[in-house]
Amino acid sequence: GAVVSQHPSWVICKSGTSVKIECRSLDFQATTMFWYRQFPKQSLMLMATSNEGSKATYEQGVEKDKFLINHASLTLSTLTVTSAHPEDSSFYICSAKDYGKEKLFFGSGTQLSVL
Amino acid sequence: EDQVTQSPEALRLQEGESSSLNCSYTVSGLRGLFWYRQDPGKGPEFLFTLYSAGEEKEKERLKATLTKKESFLHITAPKPEDSATYLCAVQAYSGGGADGLTFGKGTHLIIQP
């Protein structure tokens, strides 16, 4: 089956630094990728939709200048958390849609801890 | 606004004790209802997609059903390895876009040996 690789699995950083998370589709072309955030015991919340070659679409309440998304190729999307603060600590998960199919495949997630 | 409510929040069963998880939803136009399994610290693992009321799908000990307002995930004779959080999500029609999913909070299922 289709595989989505997400790196890193976990990251600890100091407040004020930036962190980049990568999401790759390994055996299919993903014209659209999605970024979610999940707090403990909460549901996954869609942050943004990333379309290859165009600007990402952000959900209401998500700061586009803080969460920078780049989808430069059909197999790679990146999420950069800029000037991270402790309240940004969360589990970030990407998913990718195989072109022409409805199923969404998820990465393994990145646990971000900001000190 | 699309909404997904899952119940119960947590469920503890004995090995072999069958039960059902509920997912109630409101959506402007249902494109698909998804069930995922999530283990701690991992991303969701796809289980099923249901598209229309009356549809059923099965995979090993799991069977998912769909009505116009809710979906059930039936688990028959569960084993300890079925312990996980089960997530329900809906995808709505929005005029042609590739939309993300709206998730429920999940049901944390524990199967005791």
Side-chain angles (χ1 to χ4, degrees), chain B residues 3 5 22-26 33 53 66-71:
Chain B
Q3 288 190 330
T5 303
N22 177 264
C23 171
S24 298
Y25 65 91
T26 55
L33 184 141
L66 181 65
T67 72
K68 290 184 178 180
K69 293 183 178 182
E70 58 190 350
S71 176

Side-chain angles (χ1 to χ4, degrees), chain B residues 17-103:
Chain B
E17 181 184 359
S18 302
S19 188
S20 295
L21 313 182
N22 177 264
C23 171
S24 298
Y25 65 91
T26 55
V27 64
S28 53
L30 183 68
R31 188 172 182 175
L33 184 141
F34 298 77
W35 281 99
Y36 286 87
R37 168 190 171 132
Q38 187 177 27
D39 293 301
K42 301 287 182 61
E45 175 187 340
F46 173 80
L47 292 175
F48 304 106
T49 307
L50 302 168
Y51 295 103
S52 58
E55 189 175 0
E56 297 184 355
K57 288 192 177 175
E58 285 188 69
K59 179 180 179 181
E60 296 180 354
R61 295 178 290 281
L62 299 175
K63 183 170 81 171
T65 61
L66 181 65
T67 72
K68 290 184 178 180
K69 293 183 178 182
E70 58 190 350
S71 176
F72 290 94
L73 183 65
H74 307 278
I75 183 162
T76 303
K79 298 181 179 181
E81 54 262 41
D82 295 322
S83 298
T85 295
Y86 290 85
L87 302 172
C88 172
V90 296
Q91 188 177 42
Y93 282 105
S94 68
D99 294 322
L101 303 179
T102 300
F103 280 86

Side-chain angles (χ1 to χ4, degrees), chain A residues 80-92:
Chain A
T80 301
V81 183
T82 62
S83 186
H85 290 285
E87 57 265 30
D88 298 322
S89 299
S90 185
F91 192 56
Y92 292 85

Side-chain angles (χ1 to χ4, degrees), chain A residues 32 34 36 38 42-44 46 49 91 93 97 102-104 106-109, chain B residues 31 34 36 38 41-44 46 51 87 91 98-101 103-105:
Chain A
T32 304
F34 304 91
Y36 292 84
Q38 185 178 33
Q42 298 297 311
S43 63
L44 280 75
L46 180 65
T49 301
F91 192 56
I93 308 174
K97 185 174 182 291
E102 292 296 332
K103 190 185 296 185
L104 287 176
F106 284 82
S108 55
Chain B
R31 188 172 182 175
F34 298 77
Y36 286 87
Q38 187 177 27
K42 301 287 182 61
F46 173 80
Y51 295 103
L87 302 172
Q91 188 177 42
D99 294 322
L101 303 179
F103 280 86
K105 290 185 177 181

